[in-house]
Amino acid sequence: MKCLLLLPRPVFPLVCGYALKNYNLIKILAAKYELYLIIITSGPLMKEEMDFYQDLGIHVRVHEISKWKSYIRTLLGFFSGKPLQVSYYYDRDLQDILRPFLEECQILIAALVRTREYLNPVEELENKVIVFDMVDSIALNYRHSREKTKSFFWKLIYGIEGKRLMKYERRAIENSHITYLFNGEEQSYWSQYGNVKLLPHGVKEELFHYSYFDERWKNAVVFIGKMDYQPNVDAALWYMENVHSRIGNQVPLVIVGAYPADKILERAASLPNVTVTGFVDDPYVYLNSAMAVIAPMQTGGGIQNKVLEGMALGKVNIISSLAAGPIKGGEAGRHFLVADSPEEYVDILLNWGKNQEKYKIIGENARELIKERYSWKRYGEMYLEGIEETIGK
């Protein structure tokens, strides 16, 4: 069967959850179907990415949209009532280009809410399987994030977009044959409007056997993620401001991830014992070497890949309730530690030596949970099962 996958941005470099998830999804789909891939971008793709698609024998079309045109569409979209990010990514020229693909392919997959608009013309056709690879509910995330963020700009965006997205996501789910979410709470909420399946993301199997260790970071805590992503910026700033400012002379902090925002760099420079690495070829050596991995998420939603990867390495993850909630099967005190207040972080980290045996067991439990529930193999099996069940019906 022929399958069309729409992506709102390139996959390479593999520096964030979006990239890792779609890198694995593309391999899964290409092994099962004749895959047609459409990628929206503002510039050419890396040679490494094009080579990846060529090796898999995928039909690829790259559609470049200039940023200034996207900004104009977003401005016009403000008056349309549609989510601004849908307007940003929607191009009528691409819709025309897509017409033969929509007619020829039996399975149509829209990645994220940003590409779902392109599948509207075929919603009523009976011989198509429309898959909304929603990943997480931006509407529900924005509702929560608006209350937590300190950024006036993002508070404004969350408020405007949140209301529009609630309507848009509901309609998209109602008009899709299957919707995939990786957050159990969000899946439970949206299931009242359609066929919504819980689909946790996976981790690289190599992490279960990863052994590289760097002595420099053995007494540090590590935060990892794409560091211009606003929820990561919020989390890192919160930790530096509320926790590291109190115990930084005893517990170093390492922030690992590409594109660190100016706010991160400025705050880190004002505090002792903070290392901001930027992009690194192997981020896992920092995770594996650290005393603990932290994810003090204040905004955002869905499962944090950074947490799953830290757990796969057998590390103790200290995470907020927001980050812990979506981890199906995970229990606080058994698979990770939950801390929401600065005092909880301070107490855990300053008394680490007294609980090393307990924390070793938590790390072992974490690795076993990830092996059981969060492998890319299991993710692929569930993804294809959902599509094949829909085809059967």
Side-chain angles (χ1 to χ4, degrees):
M1 298 186 74
K2 294 181 178 180
C3 175
L4 172 68
L5 173 62
L6 290 164
L7 294 180
R9 65 176 189 267
V11 171
F12 285 62
L14 303 175
V15 297
C16 63
Y18 165 89
L20 293 171
K21 173 259 182 186
N22 285 302
Y23 171 82
N24 284 280
L25 175 59
I26 288 166
K27 291 194 293 184
I28 290 163
L29 294 174
K32 178 71 174 179
Y33 308 113
E34 183 177 353
L35 182 59
Y36 292 79
L37 179 62
I38 309 294
I39 302 175
I40 302 171
T41 178
S42 58
L45 268 59
M46 297 172 60
K47 182 180 183 299
E48 183 183 6
E49 182 164 359
M50 293 303 298
D51 290 344
F52 169 65
Y53 300 138
Q54 184 176 0
D55 290 343
L56 291 175
I58 295 171
H59 308 282
V60 182
R61 182 170 187 124
V62 178
H63 185 75
E64 293 191 33
I65 302 176
S66 67
K67 287 190 175 182
W68 70 266
K69 285 187 177 180
S70 293
Y71 293 145
I72 292 174
R73 283 195 299 271
T74 304
L75 182 61
L76 295 174
F78 186 85
F79 303 99
S80 71
K82 290 181 180 179
L84 300 179
Q85 57 195 279
V86 172
S87 299
Y88 183 94
Y89 284 92
Y90 186 75
D91 180 27
R92 292 187 183 277
D93 291 339
L94 178 55
Q95 186 74 75
D96 292 336
I97 292 169
L98 279 174
R99 186 170 291 112
F101 295 97
L102 297 176
E103 293 174 355
E104 186 175 358
C105 296
Q106 295 85 30
I107 303 165
L108 309 173
I109 305 174
L112 305 182
V113 72
R114 296 167 178 177
T115 65
R116 182 58 183 79
E117 188 78 4
Y118 290 106
L119 300 189
N120 287 352
V122 296
E123 284 180 352
E124 303 303 322
L125 297 183
E126 294 182 358
N127 63 335
K128 306 293 180 184
V129 175
I130 298 177
V131 181
F132 183 19
D133 193 352
M134 190 175 178
V135 181
D136 58 359
S137 172
I138 303 177
L140 296 180
N141 293 344
Y142 279 10
R143 177 189 289 179
H144 172 81
S145 298
R146 187 173 185 273
E147 300 173 359
K148 290 287 187 176
T149 187
K150 293 182 179 179
S151 166
F152 174 78
F153 172 77
W154 282 103
K155 191 177 289 289
L156 179 65
I157 293 297
Y158 291 148
I160 296 172
E161 279 286 87
K163 293 179 181 178
R164 297 183 179 203
L165 283 163
M166 287 298 293
K167 296 178 182 178
Y168 192 89
E169 289 182 359
R170 173 176 174 174
R171 189 204 65 78
I173 290 169
E174 290 173 338
N175 290 286
S176 299
H177 295 102
I178 182 170
T179 298
Y180 288 125
L181 280 166
F182 71 2
N183 182 318
E185 295 171 356
E186 293 175 2
Q187 185 264 345
S188 178
Y189 176 86
W190 286 114
S191 288
Q192 60 186 309
Y193 300 113
N195 180 25
V196 182
K197 291 188 177 292
L198 180 65
L199 184 66
H201 289 178
V203 301
K204 295 193 294 186
E205 304 248 345
E206 308 92 90
L207 294 182
F208 299 132
H209 312 290
Y210 187 91
S211 60
Y212 290 107
F213 188 90
D214 190 326
E215 286 283 337
R216 290 177 296 171
W217 315 118
K218 66 179 182 179
N219 296 315
V221 295
V222 171
F223 180 90
I224 185 171
K226 187 167 175 282
M227 292 314 302
D228 61 350
Y229 176 54
Q230 191 59 37
N232 286 342
V233 174
D234 290 339
L237 289 175
W238 182 90
Y239 183 86
M240 285 191 283
E241 188 67 37
N242 296 287
V243 182
H244 190 79
S245 61
R246 297 165 63 174
I247 63 171
N249 59 328
Q250 299 175 68
V251 184
L253 169 65
V254 184
I255 299 173
V256 181
Y259 317 121
D262 290 341
K263 288 183 179 180
I264 297 291
L265 296 173
E266 291 168 5
R267 191 65 182 111
S270 70
L271 294 167
N273 286 338
V274 180
T275 301
V276 182
T277 68
F279 173 80
V280 292
D281 289 326
D282 181 10
Y284 303 113
V285 68
Y286 294 90
L287 294 178
N288 197 50
S289 305
M291 177 172 69
V293 179
I294 60 170
M297 311 309 294
Q298 306 297 301
T299 59
I303 294 178
Q304 304 296 321
N305 281 68
K306 62 179 78 63
V307 175
L308 299 184
E309 291 175 337
M311 293 172 69
L313 289 165
K315 305 301 294 185
V316 175
N317 285 253
I318 311 172
I319 61 181
S320 66
S321 297
L322 181 63
I327 303 177
K328 199 76 170 178
E331 298 178 22
R334 184 181 177 194
H335 300 103
F336 44 73
L337 300 176
V338 172
D340 289 313
S341 69
E343 290 73 23
E344 289 172 308
Y345 273 96
V346 170
D347 181 61
I348 292 170
L349 293 172
L350 292 188
N351 292 289
W352 193 266
K354 301 177 183 178
N355 298 285
Q356 286 191 6
E357 192 59 34
K358 171 186 173 183
Y359 294 158
K360 180 181 178 182
I361 295 172
I362 290 176
E364 292 170 353
N365 291 340
R367 180 188 280 120
E368 291 306 310
L369 177 68
I370 301 303
K371 282 183 179 180
E372 178 185 344
R373 291 181 178 241
Y374 294 95
S375 69
W376 284 119
K377 179 181 178 182
R378 180 60 183 144
Y379 168 86
E381 291 171 348
M382 294 174 67
Y383 203 108
L384 296 177
E385 283 173 7
I387 292 176
E388 295 300 315
E389 286 176 6
T390 305
I391 291 172
K393 293 176 182 178

